Amino acid sequence: MADHFHLTSSSIDFAAAGEVEAEQHGLNAENDDMDPTQYFEKRLKYLAAEKDNGENPYPHKFSVSISVSQFIDKYKSLFNGDHVEDDLVSVAGRIMSKRSSSSKLSFYDLNDSCLKIQVMADLRKSELDKTEFAKLHAYAKRGDIVGVTGFPGKTKRGELSIFPRSFTVLSPCLHMLPRAADNKKQEIWSPGNLRHPHTYVLKDQETRFRQRYLDLMMNNHEVPQIFKTIDNINKYIRRFLSALDFVEVSTPMLHTIPGGAAARPFVTHHNDLDMKLYMRISPELHLKQLVIGGMDRVYEIGKQFRNESIDMTHNPEFTTCEFYMAYADYNDLMKMTEDLLSGLVKELTGGYRVKYHANGYDKDPIVIDFTPPYRRIDMIGELEKVANLNIPKDLATEEANKYLIDACERFDVKCAPPKTTARLLDKLVGHFLEGTCVNPTFIMNHPEIMSPLAKSHRSIKGMTERFELFINQHELCNAYTELNDPVVQRQRFADQLKDRQSGDEEAMAMDESFCTALEYGLPPTGGWGIGIDRLAMLLTDSQNIKEVITFPLMKPRDEPAAGKAPVVDEDNKTTAIVS
């Protein structure tokens, strides 16, 4: 069903007066007192009645001629009271506010992502009779997706609006939506600005993460912009690498041997081949084989899967970018890291300094400075200096292991079994060094026992040419000059196998096929990886990694029965089905 209008300037004057009346009498809180279950059942009955009458409440098609964003850009310069009756446009979006002055005049806020325009519906110019008009607009509710064809203009009060000739409900929303405690206009978030979760209409994190669609609808001044920023981060990285002649590739998600990182994998089974497979924990070994084959500069942006704990900075499924660059070493990669991150931050925010709520949204933010060059610290040297240690030079000995166990006990640094030397060092570095890395800091020159895929340092015995970039006390990048000696690589894998046999489930497995590939010759190569999700957290002022993953893994709750009414969110006096 559609209603048709042809508005004159006098009807716009009348509508402006009606808009004032609607706001003064608070008529925009339609159905707020209705029980959510009753609301849901009432909407179902209405749809059933429409179907019984031969109506289709879910039309197959609506031709959109202009988006809300384009509408605003094109007509925002109109003067108050102006309208362009000869411009007939069709726009679609979701009703997020409805204000009825009377059964003859209704106002809607039509949203498309974070932008909105007003829709004004006036009986006086409608081709429908009073009963049909009242029925149509009585059953158009908040949350409905509608298509509007009409002409643009501004009310006398300066509200950019579309004055409809036709108004069609395209997809009804059956549930009562959350409602803001006030009608205060929220500023649209952009990178470089702080987030303000206290302004959200839907505040409950469980509901937000489980029902992301509702989060996007209700908190549309910030949440959609977070995911658009992540898209811009990926686009920038692709442009940066493409300008350096890198080729983007895709490598397998299913591996016969989990390799390329120290992590516990997810295990699955292929029925037809009757074989165990692993979800990839890293694309590293496949990407290096492409370099061996002659593709000197390759990268991949994609998902990794690690069967590990979930916390504020870890999710079992996450996104990384890894690249491999022939004839480069870790010194080149440190300079590239500085160029990439500083350039990215400058493009997104206009400067190099980013404010971040590291200690909670109720505390003052810290400032992270991405201005290059970044601080560089030697891992073992700095650890010995800060903790006043004298670590044995040969880290492969029992003496070194015992020394580090004693050091952890002395400083009350917890390390769960197995207490391998690599794990003990990692815990001590986390305790003494990582906390000092607020601004971007390279912790470099890791021991060989911690870096089975990295090339030995050219001048420091027992160390490798590796660095990790830490920002806000968390690892963001990992990179090294790649080990390309197949004999040494086999021995490193064998050493890892000993750790695995002692109970370290994150130690790397022997990958004979990769060692065979190395026998054909890997040129001197630099390899680099970055966690996209953690980078996005920093650049979107997000404290929880779930904020930057569209659908983070959540522990299941009991599934609601079909047609079950929403659960009331008491904080917002609103509703949402929680699964």
Side-chain angles (χ1 to χ4, degrees), residues 11-284:
S11 69
I12 295 176
D13 293 341
F14 169 80
E19 184 177 17
V20 174
E21 180 184 344
E23 292 183 0
Q24 288 176 343
H25 290 281
L27 298 178
N28 57 334
E30 189 175 82
N31 296 124
D32 269 9
D33 295 331
M34 185 177 291
D35 176 83
T37 302
Q38 292 177 335
Y39 183 94
F40 179 75
E41 291 174 350
K42 184 177 179 181
R43 294 235 75 188
L44 281 179
K45 289 178 181 178
Y46 171 72
L47 292 181
E50 288 290 286
K51 293 175 183 177
D52 289 343
N53 292 332
E55 300 287 347
N56 178 14
Y58 296 94
H60 289 72
K61 171 72 176 176
F62 181 82
S63 296
V64 175
S65 66
I66 191 170
S67 68
V68 170
S69 174
Q70 292 167 336
F71 187 98
I72 293 171
D73 288 342
K74 186 173 182 179
Y75 299 112
K76 63 186 177 183
S77 60
L78 291 175
F79 293 108
N80 293 1
D82 285 354
H83 58 284
V84 189
E85 196 165 338
D86 292 337
D87 276 9
L88 198 64
V89 298
S90 295
V91 65
R94 189 180 295 273
I95 297 173
M96 295 305 293
S97 176
K98 180 181 178 182
R99 306 174 300 282
S100 297
S101 173
S102 67
S103 62
K104 301 176 182 179
L105 183 64
S106 292
F107 301 88
Y108 303 92
D109 284 345
L110 187 71
N111 282 46
D112 180 9
S113 187
C114 60
L115 302 175
K116 73 178 180 70
I117 57 174
Q118 179 176 259
V119 180
M120 196 175 69
D122 180 9
L123 170 65
R124 299 192 311 161
K125 295 299 179 177
S126 174
E127 293 182 354
L128 299 175
D129 62 31
K130 182 177 180 180
T131 301
E132 291 174 318
F133 181 93
K135 178 184 176 184
L136 173 64
H137 291 285
Y139 283 97
K141 302 295 185 184
R142 291 181 65 240
D144 289 355
I145 297 172
V146 301
V148 180
T149 298
F151 60 87
K154 279 189 178 178
T155 66
K156 290 293 186 181
R157 303 180 70 208
E159 186 76 22
L160 182 61
S161 306
I162 183 169
F163 302 92
R165 298 188 186 279
S166 70
F167 181 104
T168 307
V169 176
L170 304 175
S171 184
C173 176
L174 304 184
H175 294 289
M176 190 182 291
L177 291 183
R179 188 179 292 280
D182 55 54
N183 292 321
K184 183 178 179 182
K185 183 179 179 181
Q186 303 296 343
E187 292 296 322
I188 296 174
W189 180 88
S190 60
N193 294 314
L194 295 170
R195 291 179 65 179
H196 300 96
H198 66 278
T199 66
Y200 286 5
V201 175
L202 183 64
K203 294 183 173 68
D204 180 67
Q205 280 196 341
E206 283 282 313
T207 305
R208 290 182 53 229
F209 298 155
R210 292 176 187 277
Q211 294 177 261
R212 184 66 84 183
Y213 51 87
L214 201 58
D215 186 29
L216 290 164
M217 279 185 228
M218 307 316 305
N219 302 325
N220 59 12
H221 62 295
E222 282 195 4
V223 177
Q225 307 312 307
I226 301 303
F227 295 113
K228 289 177 182 178
T229 298
I230 297 169
D231 178 51
N232 289 330
I233 289 171
N234 288 327
K235 287 176 179 175
Y236 183 90
I237 292 173
R238 285 187 165 99
R239 289 201 311 272
F240 181 91
L241 294 175
S242 179
L244 295 173
D245 295 325
F246 278 81
V247 176
E248 184 173 9
V249 297
S250 295
T251 61
M253 290 281 191
L254 294 173
H255 291 186
T256 55
I257 299 174
R264 182 187 300 173
F266 285 97
V267 184
T268 186
H269 185 268
H270 192 287
N271 292 335
D272 193 39
L273 296 177
D274 191 23
M275 63 186 294
K276 182 187 293 185
L277 292 171
Y278 303 89
M279 299 296 290
R280 79 174 178 193
I281 56 176
S282 168
E284 176 169 344

Side-chain angles (χ1 to χ4, degrees), residues 227-397:
F227 295 113
K228 289 177 182 178
T229 298
I230 297 169
D231 178 51
N232 289 330
I233 289 171
N234 288 327
K235 287 176 179 175
Y236 183 90
I237 292 173
R238 285 187 165 99
R239 289 201 311 272
F240 181 91
L241 294 175
S242 179
L244 295 173
D245 295 325
F246 278 81
V247 176
E248 184 173 9
V249 297
S250 295
T251 61
M253 290 281 191
L254 294 173
H255 291 186
T256 55
I257 299 174
R264 182 187 300 173
F266 285 97
V267 184
T268 186
H269 185 268
H270 192 287
N271 292 335
D272 193 39
L273 296 177
D274 191 23
M275 63 186 294
K276 182 187 293 185
L277 292 171
Y278 303 89
M279 299 296 290
R280 79 174 178 193
I281 56 176
S282 168
E284 176 169 344
L285 302 188
H286 284 101
L287 290 173
K288 284 196 279 195
Q289 290 178 62
L290 295 178
V291 179
I292 291 169
M295 299 183 70
D296 286 349
R297 298 185 179 192
V298 294
Y299 77 97
E300 181 171 9
I301 296 177
K303 293 289 187 183
Q304 318 308 327
F305 307 88
R306 298 183 183 178
N307 196 356
E308 299 170 349
S309 60
I310 299 176
D311 58 30
M312 297 286 279
T313 60
H314 292 85
N315 192 69
E317 177 182 352
F318 59 99
T319 304
T320 66
C321 173
E322 289 199 23
F323 74 71
Y324 292 83
M325 185 177 185
Y327 313 110
D329 65 8
Y330 82 141
N331 295 303
D332 300 313
L333 302 189
M334 279 188 269
K335 179 63 168 61
M336 286 179 66
T337 304
E338 292 171 339
D339 292 343
L340 188 153
L341 291 180
S342 62
L344 171 63
V345 173
K346 182 70 179 296
E347 177 165 303
L348 291 180
T349 70
Y352 296 117
R353 294 162 64 87
V354 173
K355 291 182 178 180
Y356 183 74
H357 279 108
N359 303 307
Y361 291 112
D362 58 339
K363 302 291 193 305
D364 290 336
I366 64 171
V367 175
I368 301 173
D369 191 348
F370 284 86
T371 306
Y374 300 157
R375 175 186 173 214
R376 304 183 182 192
I377 59 177
D378 180 83
M379 176 184 279
I380 298 300
E382 189 73 8
L383 179 60
E384 290 184 322
K385 176 182 175 182
V386 171
N388 193 26
L389 297 174
N390 186 19
I391 301 171
K393 300 303 180 186
D394 188 352
L395 292 170
T397 63

